Amino acid sequence: MSEPVYAVIAASLRGERMGRTVADWAAARIPAALGAPPPDLIDLAETTLPDDEHLQPGGGRPTALTDRLTRADAYVFITPEYNHSYPAGLKRAIDWHYREWMFKPATIISYGVQGGLLATEHLRGVLAELHVVTTRRVLGLTTPWYDLGPAGYTPPESVTKGLDLALDELAWWTETLHTARRERPYAGR
């Protein structure tokens, strides 16, 4: 397998948000933890999607994200928990694409006052519908804003170790599913 392409997706669209800061931290960990090239950092706050009136079952017309999502072999979602789920902007980005996600793995880093794990669980169900395999290991960051410093997000060592374990599992699924997509494409039985 050639070098895998990882995409880190920052889901929050809010002006004052932790998502991009956590995404920067996660993106920096991928080369360190996996020896992989730097990931493609997709910030949904910097992405414009077409109007939903053009959305069709199975996705929509190509968007600014289509090629980037297609190139990615695996995804790391960075999502806050808003009202016990993940943000609407992330749902729109998911819904506008379909085949781009299929048969690829993802891990989820959620955050919030209680770690954002309800957002993770809601997101898993949606990703499963799109044939995305989510890692068992995920990361829930409880009040990460307390770990902000001059260098950005600097979590305790145990949190970084948790991310590294999730990334290690993601790397295994990335290689496994890449091989399966190449050698045994799903025929939709």
Side-chain angles (χ1 to χ4, degrees):
M1 176 179 168
S2 60
E3 288 288 338
V5 175
Y6 293 92
V8 174
I9 301 171
S12 178
L13 305 179
R14 292 182 178 177
E16 295 290 322
R17 60 195 172 118
M18 279 294 303
R20 180 55 189 256
T21 303
V22 173
D24 288 338
W25 168 72
R29 285 302 306 159
I30 288 175
L34 302 179
D40 182 8
L41 180 51
I42 299 170
D43 188 340
L44 295 182
E46 299 171 354
T47 303
T48 302
L49 294 172
D51 201 46
D52 283 352
E53 71 183 26
H54 302 291
L55 188 58
Q56 301 292 319
R61 66 182 190 223
T63 72
L65 294 180
T66 301
D67 289 340
R68 294 170 77 182
L69 296 175
T70 299
R71 275 193 304 275
D73 295 301
Y75 308 101
V76 177
F77 289 93
I78 313 297
T79 183
E81 181 180 311
Y82 294 160
N83 301 318
H84 294 280
S85 194
Y86 59 92
L90 177 55
K91 183 68 164 86
R92 283 193 76 231
I94 291 169
D95 288 349
W96 263 99
H97 305 90
Y98 185 72
R99 294 199 185 289
E100 296 84 355
W101 306 112
M102 292 177 72
F103 306 109
K104 296 178 183 179
T107 196
I108 303 166
I109 301 171
S110 59
Y111 61 92
V113 173
Q114 301 297 323
L117 293 175
L118 289 171
T120 294
E121 291 310 309
H122 285 185
L123 187 52
R124 282 182 194 239
V126 171
L127 294 175
E129 179 64 20
L130 297 169
H131 303 281
V132 174
V133 176
T134 55
T135 59
R136 183 186 74 77
R137 287 182 173 91
V138 296
L139 199 59
L141 307 175
T142 302
T143 60
W145 40 89
Y146 293 134
D147 294 317
L148 286 176
Y153 179 60
T154 53
E157 186 176 322
S158 62
V159 172
T160 300
K161 182 167 178 56
L163 175 59
D164 289 352
L165 289 170
L167 291 175
D168 186 58
E169 185 180 344
L170 182 65
W172 185 87
W173 277 111
T174 301
E175 184 176 341
T176 300
L177 292 175
H178 177 77
T179 300
R181 286 192 314 273
R182 186 182 67 243
E183 295 177 8
R184 296 184 52 227
Y186 181 70
R189 297 176 208 150

